[in-house]
C-alpha cells in the first residue's frame, strides 16, 4: 500500500469569529456567533459554553444564549485576515496550501528534517501562529491531509499533536464517518451500521467502488489513511498555465478579480478538454516593483469556475488590501505587503485528477445557452463594471423596492431576508413594473390645493385630489381612485434605519396607477404600475 | 455544343419531375414527397418562434419570431413595462436567457417575477450611457435569446439598423421600449390602461385592461388585453 505524503495542518477553530474579533476588539469576551445562510457557521468559546454550536438556526441560538452577538459572515475579510497566518507558516516552508480561511496544510518532510523532527516543527509553527495573537491555533501532523486535520482537532490550543508515521490508519479508525465531510454518504453509512472510519475502511475497495461509485471510493481511500485526493494523480501538462498581463498595473481588487474570473474559466475549460479536474491551484502575481507573490489553494472536491474565482478573489484581496481593508498605500506598506499594482497574474494547476464527468440537467438545462449567456454578460461586465449587471432575487420586505435584492452577476443568488417569513403590512399585489429608488419628488394635494397630511395616528385630513410629478404623463393630474393611507413605522428601535410614513395606491384620470409615499412631510412617487 | 447552351423551351426543363414522370405514377410521387420532406430545413420558421404566455398568446398566437425586432411604446403608466416583461417571460419560459437594459434602474423585479419571468435567467444591465448603448446591446445579442432595452432618446437610425441586423443574424429577439428609429416586424402600442378594484378611498388595485394597438407590416389591429 502506498503511503500518504506526510502533512501538517494548521487549524484555527472558528476562524470567522477570530477574524471578526481581530477587526473589532469590542467583541472579545462576549459570546459571538457568525451566521451564514441563516444558520450558525461558527461560535466563540463563550457561546459554545451556552450550547450554541454550528448548524443550529439563528432563532434557536438566540434562545439558548441571551446576549449572543450575531454577525454576518464575510469570507473575503476572513481570507484577508488569514493571510497573516499563511505568512507566519511560510517562514517554515514555502509550500503552504490554503484549504479555506482558518485551515491550511503544508508538507512536512523537508522542514521537519531541518527543524529537528515533527514534534519540534509542530511546536514551532504553533508558537509562531500563537504569537500573532491567535492562542487558539492547533497544529496536527500525520500521514495524509485528513489525518493531519483530525490530529489538529485532537491537539490542545496553542500546541501540536503528532501522529507517528504509519500510525494514521489506527488513529483514524475511531473517528465517526461524518468527518469525511460528505453528509449524504455519512448518513447512508450510518444507516448501514458503519459509524466509524475504521469500520468503513475495512470494506473491500472494489465493493465500495461498485456500490458508491467514485465519490465513495475516494472517501474510502481517505478513511484508510491514504492521501485524500488522488486515486490516480495525473501530472498536469506543463503548458496549462493561464496568464494575463495588466497594463497599466491594477491596484483595485475588483478589476483584478474580474480578470481572474476569465482566467479561471479558461483554465478549467482547458483542463476539461483534457478530461481533468483541478484540486489544487497556484495563484501567482507580479507587481510593478518586481515582487513575486504566490499562494496555493486546495479544494476537497474539484474546483469549479465559481469556487476557483472566489478563492482567487480572496487571495487578491489579501494581497491588495492591507489588514484594515484599505487599499495599499506606499507609506503604510510593510515588508510583507505588496508595494504597487499587479502587472501579471498566473493560475497554474498544481494537482489535477481525472474528471468523472458531469450529468447535465434533464429538464430545461441547456448548458450551451447558459454558457453563451455567461460569456455575453461577462463581456458587458467588462465594459461597465461588475455591479452594472445584476439579477433580481425575491426576498422578504414590505415595499416593492425592499422585496427585491439585486445581486451582481456571478455572485451567489441568495436573498438577504427570508421571503417566506410573515411581513405584516407588506403592500398588496400586483407588483408595480416601474419602481423608483429613491422615490421621485411628487405633490399629493387635496381638493383645496394644499398638500395631504397624515396625523401621528394615521388619519388623513382631506382625501387626495391631485397628484403631480415629473415622471407622470403630462406631469400628473386629478385623482379618480385611491386607497390609503397605509401607515408604517419600521425599525423604530434603530434611529438610523427607522422609516415612518404612509403609502397610497392612486389611480389618475387616464388610467395611470401609482404608489405614493409620504415620509417626513414630503410626498414621493415610489412606483408606477406601468 | 451550341444546342446545349440554349435554354430549354418553357415547360420542357429536364429537372422538372412532372415532365419526366408520368402523372399516374403514384409511387414515384410518393418517393419525391419523402425526398422533399428529407430536404426540408430542420428548423422551420414557426419552430424558431417563442410561444407567449398569458393574455398575449391570444393576440399573437404565432409567438415571438426569433431574429426580429419588436417595439413596445406608449406613455408612462399605460402598461408598456408590463408588456415588455411578458415578452421576456416568453423567452425564459422556453429555458432561454433574457437581458433587460435598464439605464435608470427602475425595472420592478417583483413585477417581473409575477409576470412569469424566470429571474435566475434574467440579467438586468444598469448605468448604460447613450454612447455605449449600441455596443452593450450588440454584446448582449451575441449571447441572449431576448434583449429588452429602453431606447435612448436620440438613438441613431444607423445604430438601430445594425442592431436589427445583429438580432437577425444571431436569431435573437430585440424588444425595443420606446421610439425605435428603424424597421420592426411587430409594433405594440399600449394606448391606455383601465384599472378596476380601486374606488374613492376604498378597495385595492386588482385587474387591469390595456388597449394595445398591434401593427405588423401593413396591418394594424386594436385589442384589449386583460391581466
Amino acid at each position: 500500500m502506498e503511503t500518504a505524503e506526510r502533512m501538517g495542518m494548521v487549524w484555527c477553530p472558528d476562524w470567522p469569529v477570530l477574524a471578526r474579533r481581530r477587526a473589532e476588539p469590542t467583541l472579545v469576551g462576549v459570546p459571538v456567533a457568525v451566521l451564514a445562510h441563516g444558520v450558525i457557521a461558527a461560535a466563540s468559546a463563550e457561546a459554545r459554553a451556552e450550547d450554541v454550536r454550528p448548524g443550529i438556526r439563528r432563532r434557536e441560538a438566540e434562545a439558548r444564549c441571551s446576549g449572543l452577538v450575531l454577525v454576518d459572515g464575510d469570507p473575503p475579510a476572513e481570507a484577508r485576515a488569514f493571510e497573516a497566518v499563511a505568512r507566519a507558516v511560510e517562514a517554515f516552508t514555502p509550500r503552504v496550501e490554503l484549504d479555506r480561511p482558518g485551515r491550511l496544510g503544508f508538507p512536512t518532510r523537508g522542514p521537519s528534517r531541518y527543524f529537528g523532527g515533527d514534534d519540534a516543527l509542530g511546536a514551532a509553527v504553533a508558537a509562531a501562529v500563537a504569537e500573532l495573537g491567535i492562542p487558539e491555533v492547533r497544529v496536527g501532523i500525520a500521514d495524509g491531509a485528513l489525518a493531519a486535520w483530525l490530529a489538529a482537532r485532537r491537539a490542545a490550543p496553542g500546541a501540536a499533536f503528532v501522529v507517528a508515521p504509519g500510525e494514521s490508519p489506527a488513529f483514524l479508525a475511531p473517528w465517526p464517518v461524518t468527518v469525511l465531510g460528505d453528509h449524504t454518504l455519512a448518513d447512508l453509512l450510518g444507516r448501514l451500521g458503519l459509524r466509524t472510519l475504521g469500520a468503513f475502511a475495512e470494506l473491500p475497495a472494489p465493493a465500495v467502488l461498485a456500490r458508491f461509485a467514485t465519490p465513495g471510493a475516494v472517501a474510502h481511500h481517505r478513511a484508510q489513511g491514504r492521501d485524500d485526493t488522488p486515486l490516480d494523480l495525473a501530472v498536469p501538462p506543463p503548458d496549462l498555465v493561464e496568464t494575463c498581463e495588466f497594463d497599466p498595473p491594477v491596484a483595485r481588487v475588483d478589476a483584478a478579480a474580474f480578470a481572474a474570473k476569465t482566467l479561471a474559466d479558461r483554465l478549467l475549460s482547458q483542463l476539461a478538454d483534457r478530461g481533468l479536474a483541478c484540486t489544487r491551484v497556484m495563484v501567482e502575481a507580479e507587481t510593478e516593483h518586481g515582487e513575486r507573490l504566490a499562494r496555493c489553494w486546495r479544494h476537497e472536491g474539484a474546483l469549479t469556475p465559481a469556487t476557483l474565482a472566489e478563492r482567487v478573489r480572496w487571495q487578491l484581496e489579501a494581497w491588495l488590501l492591507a489588514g484594515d481593508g484599505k487599499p495599499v498605500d506606499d507609506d503604510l506598506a510593510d515588508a510583507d505587503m505588496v508595494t504597487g499594482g499587479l502587472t501579471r497574474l498566473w493560475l497554474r494547476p498544481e494537482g489535477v485528477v481525472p474528471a468523472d464527468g458531469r450529468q447535465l440537467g434533464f429538464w430545461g438545462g441547456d448548458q450551451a445557452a447558459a454558457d453563451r449567456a455567461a460569456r455575453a454578460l461577462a463581456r458587458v461586465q467588462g465594459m461597465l463594471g461588475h455591479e452594472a449587471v445584476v439579477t433580481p432575487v425575491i426576498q422578504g420586505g414590505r415595499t416593492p423596492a425592499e422585496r427585491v435584492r439585486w445581486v451582481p452577476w456571478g455572485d451567489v443568488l441568495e436573498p438577504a431576508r427570508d421571503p417566506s417569513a410573515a411581513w405584516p403590512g407588506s403592500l398588496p399585489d400586483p407588483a408595480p413594473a416601474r419602481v423608483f429608488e429613491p422615490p421621485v419628488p411628487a405633490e399629493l394635494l387635496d381638493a383645496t390645493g394644499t398638500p395631504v397630511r397624515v396625523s401621528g395616528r394615521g388619519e388623513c385630513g382631506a382625501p387626495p385630489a391631485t397628484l403631480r410629478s415629473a415622471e407622470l404623463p403630462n406631469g400628473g393630474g386629478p385623482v379618480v381612485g385611491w386607497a390609503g393611507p397605509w401607515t408604517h413605522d419600521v425599525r423604530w428601535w434603530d434611529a438610523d434605519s427607522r422609516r415612518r410614513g404612509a403609502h397610497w395606491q392612486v389611480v389618475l384620470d387616464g388610467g395611470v396607477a401609482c404608489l405614493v409615499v409620504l415620509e417626513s412631510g414630503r410626498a414621493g412617487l415610489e412606483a408606477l404600475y406601468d | 455544343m451550341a444546342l446545349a447552351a440554349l435554354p430549354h423551351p418553357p415547360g420542357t426543363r429536364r429537372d422538372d419531375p412532372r415532365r419526366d414522370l408520368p402523372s399516374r405514377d403514384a409511387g414515384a410521387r410518393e418517393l419525391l414527397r419523402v425526398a422533399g420532406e428529407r430536404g426540408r430545413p430542420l428548423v422551420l420558421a414557426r419552430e424558431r418562434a417563442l410561444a407567449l404566455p398569458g393574455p398575449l398568446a391570444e393576440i399573437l398566437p404565432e409567438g415571438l419570431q426569433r431574429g426580429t425586432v419588436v417595439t413596445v411604446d406608449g406613455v408612462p403608466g399605460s402598461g408598456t413595462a408590463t408588456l415588455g416583461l411578458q415578452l421576456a417571460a416568453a423567452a425564459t419560459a422556453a429555458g432561454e436567457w433574457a437581458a433587460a437594459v435598464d439605464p435608470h434602474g427602475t425595472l420592478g423585479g417583483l413585477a417581473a417575477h409575477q409576470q412569469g419571468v424566470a429571474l435566475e435567467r434574467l440579467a438586468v444591465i444598469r448605468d448604460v450611457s447613450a454612447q455605449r448603448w449600441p455596443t452593450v446591446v450588440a454584446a448582449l445579442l451575441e449571447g441572449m435569446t431576448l434583449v429588452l432595452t429602453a431606447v435612448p432618446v436620440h438613438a441613431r437610425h444607423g445604430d438601430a439598423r445594425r442592431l436589427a441586423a445583429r438580432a437577425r443574424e444571431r436569431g435573437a429577439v430585440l424588444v425595443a421600449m420606446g421610439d425605435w428609429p428603424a424597421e420592426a416586424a411587430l409594433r405594440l402600442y399600449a394606448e391606455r390602461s383601465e384599472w378596476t378594484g380601486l374606488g374613492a378611498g376604498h378597495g385595492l388595485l386588482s385587474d387591469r385592461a390595456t388597449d394595445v394597438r398591434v401593427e405588423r407590416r401593413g396591418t394594424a389591429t386594436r385589442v384589449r388585453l386583460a391581466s
Side-chain angles (χ1 to χ4, degrees):
Chain A
M1 187 164 91
E2 82 275 34
T3 50
E5 193 180 7
R6 198 128 177 93
M7 288 282 291
M9 194 68 95
V10 175
W11 180 48
C12 300
D14 291 316
W15 179 253
V17 173
L18 297 180
R20 186 55 80 103
R21 278 184 169 168
R22 285 165 76 80
E24 290 172 49
T26 50
L27 293 175
V28 175
V30 290
V32 184
V34 174
L35 281 172
H37 310 231
V39 297
I40 304 294
S44 71
E46 295 86 356
R48 278 173 188 266
E50 304 269 350
D51 212 20
V52 174
R53 50 192 70 257
I56 64 172
R57 296 189 68 83
R58 175 196 188 124
R59 193 166 299 173
E60 193 173 351
E62 284 173 324
R64 287 183 187 181
C65 174
S66 63
L68 180 68
V69 179
L70 287 166
V71 289
D72 281 321
D74 183 4
E78 290 155 18
R80 211 154 62 216
F82 200 60
E83 180 69 11
V85 178
R87 288 217 176 100
V89 178
E90 225 174 16
F92 297 91
T93 167
R95 286 179 61 196
V96 173
E97 295 167 1
L98 272 79
D99 191 353
R100 61 170 186 231
R103 208 164 87 181
L104 61 81
F106 55 95
T108 63
R109 200 169 60 96
S112 71
R113 260 192 268 171
Y114 182 81
F115 286 96
D118 283 339
D119 293 291
L121 174 69
V125 169
V129 177
E131 214 166 85
L132 298 170
I134 310 165
E136 299 89 344
V137 66
R138 292 146 198 250
V139 178
I141 296 178
D143 298 338
L146 178 68
W149 180 56
L150 294 175
R153 283 181 63 165
R154 179 65 56 82
F161 187 88
V162 177
V163 179
E167 299 282 307
S168 280
F171 170 72
L172 284 174
W175 288 86
V177 285
T178 46
V179 298
L180 289 169
D182 184 339
H183 294 294
T184 331
L185 181 67
D187 186 45
L188 184 55
L189 290 175
R191 279 185 282 143
L192 292 172
L194 302 165
R195 289 174 207 287
T196 62
L197 292 182
F200 182 41
E202 276 172 22
L203 297 182
V208 173
L209 180 64
R211 174 66 181 79
F212 299 105
T214 320
V218 172
H220 183 243
H221 209 69
R222 296 173 65 195
Q224 288 185 330
R226 293 190 270 169
D227 210 354
D228 53 342
T229 33
L231 278 170
D232 36 353
L233 187 75
V235 177
D239 60 331
L240 273 187
V241 180
E242 286 294 336
T243 316
C244 87
E245 303 208 8
F246 301 112
D247 188 21
V250 296
R252 281 179 44 217
V253 171
D254 51 351
F258 179 72
K261 201 156 87 175
T262 331
L263 282 188
D265 275 346
R266 275 212 315 253
L267 178 69
L268 292 181
S269 73
Q270 287 247 21
L271 282 172
D273 289 348
R274 289 164 164 79
L276 297 172
C278 187
T279 56
R280 237 175 352 156
V281 70
M282 182 67 93
V283 186
E284 284 178 75
E286 194 174 88
T287 72
E288 53 189 321
H289 298 155
E291 292 148 307
R292 283 290 287 268
L293 307 153
R295 187 69 80 218
C296 182
W297 280 89
R298 64 199 295 285
H299 194 266
E300 283 107 350
L303 287 157
T304 64
T307 52
L308 178 54
E310 190 181 33
R311 275 155 182 76
V312 177
R313 188 187 175 92
W314 291 349
Q315 192 53 53
L316 290 168
E317 290 209 0
W319 283 334
L320 289 174
L321 302 179
D324 53 359
K326 293 192 183 70
V328 181
D329 191 333
D330 276 351
D331 304 332
L332 291 174
D334 57 39
D336 284 344
M337 286 326 252
V338 294
T339 57
L342 302 183
T343 53
R344 268 168 88 99
L345 184 66
W346 293 263
L347 290 185
R348 201 173 62 219
E350 287 274 293
V352 292
V353 289
D356 46 9
R358 179 178 50 154
Q359 183 71 45
L360 293 183
F362 198 72
W363 283 285
D366 185 352
Q367 196 57 37
D371 289 347
R372 220 153 35 95
R375 273 199 298 278
L377 292 177
R379 207 172 139 215
V380 173
Q381 267 183 330
M383 283 187 242
L384 302 174
H386 183 65
E387 309 280 322
V389 180
V390 288
T391 299
V393 177
I394 304 296
Q395 64 176 4
R398 295 186 174 82
T399 65
E402 277 176 7
R403 285 182 64 184
V404 176
R405 174 163 179 233
W406 297 95
V407 181
W409 164 254
D411 291 1
V412 187
L413 295 179
E414 188 179 285
R417 292 184 290 265
D418 184 5
S420 59
W423 290 94
S426 70
L427 292 170
D429 290 342
R434 292 244 164 255
V435 178
F436 302 104
E437 214 182 344
V440 290
E443 283 186 318
L444 189 64
L445 308 171
D446 64 15
T448 63
T450 48
V452 173
R453 302 243 161 250
V454 177
S455 74
R457 289 169 167 270
E459 285 155 356
C460 177
T466 314
L467 177 68
R468 302 201 174 284
S469 173
E471 289 287 333
L472 293 169
N474 309 322
V479 171
V480 295
W482 76 92
W486 301 318
T487 54
H488 61 265
D489 187 357
V490 295
R491 296 191 68 81
W492 45 265
W493 56 89
D494 183 7
D496 291 335
S497 61
R498 179 179 186 185
R499 286 190 71 186
R500 190 160 179 258
H503 281 104
W504 279 270
Q505 273 184 349
V506 171
V507 175
L508 300 184
D509 189 23
V512 177
C514 34
L515 186 67
V516 182
V517 65
L518 184 70
E519 272 183 1
S520 38
R522 270 192 291 279
L525 183 67
E526 184 158 320
L528 201 56
Y529 292 83
D530 191 1
Chain B
M1 288 303 287
L3 269 178
L6 281 174
H8 293 286
T12 60
R13 291 183 54 159
R14 276 187 196 158
D15 53 350
D16 185 348
R18 279 170 299 188
R19 298 299 305 173
D20 297 344
L21 295 167
S23 58
R24 287 157 297 177
D25 194 344
R29 280 178 186 280
E30 181 58 26
L31 269 177
L32 272 180
R33 197 189 59 74
V34 171
E37 195 78 351
R38 289 215 183 109
R40 176 177 79 110
L42 278 178
V43 181
L44 284 182
R46 75 182 127 79
E47 285 163 1
R48 286 167 62 90
L50 299 167
L52 282 162
L56 271 178
E58 292 163 25
I59 61 169
L60 298 168
E62 73 279 12
L64 275 185
Q65 208 69 30
R66 286 198 184 195
T68 61
V69 178
V70 180
T71 70
V72 180
D73 205 357
V75 293
S78 57
T80 51
T82 305
L83 273 178
L85 289 176
Q86 284 170 346
L87 297 177
T92 61
E96 302 283 354
W97 286 69
V101 180
D102 182 25
H104 306 295
T106 58
L107 188 79
L110 190 59
H113 173 65
Q114 290 180 355
Q115 294 298 335
V117 181
L119 296 188
E120 65 277 9
R121 287 196 296 277
L122 173 72
V124 178
I125 291 86
R126 293 172 160 182
D127 308 326
V128 184
S129 65
Q131 289 86 35
R132 309 199 87 163
W133 174 77
T135 335
V136 169
V137 175
L140 290 172
L141 285 170
E142 290 286 323
M144 301 300 205
T145 304
L146 184 137
V147 178
L148 179 74
T149 172
V151 182
V153 187
H154 298 295
R156 285 203 305 253
H157 181 69
D159 286 337
R161 280 187 50 193
R162 272 192 287 277
L163 291 178
R166 178 67 65 93
R168 187 163 55 241
E169 181 198 331
R170 309 297 305 186
V173 182
L174 180 61
V175 180
M177 313 270 291
D179 193 9
W180 178 250
E183 287 219 329
L186 176 69
R187 286 177 187 271
L188 304 175
Y189 291 94
E191 292 186 327
R192 55 168 282 145
S193 276
E194 209 165 279
W195 283 90
T196 51
L198 197 63
H202 57 83
L204 287 173
L205 287 177
S206 64
D207 302 304
R208 101 190 300 182
T210 311
D211 289 333
V212 182
R213 194 164 86 241
V214 184
E215 286 186 16
R216 292 189 190 81
R217 288 197 178 111
T219 62
T221 47
R222 185 172 277 122
V223 288
R224 173 160 275 224
L225 269 186
S227 60

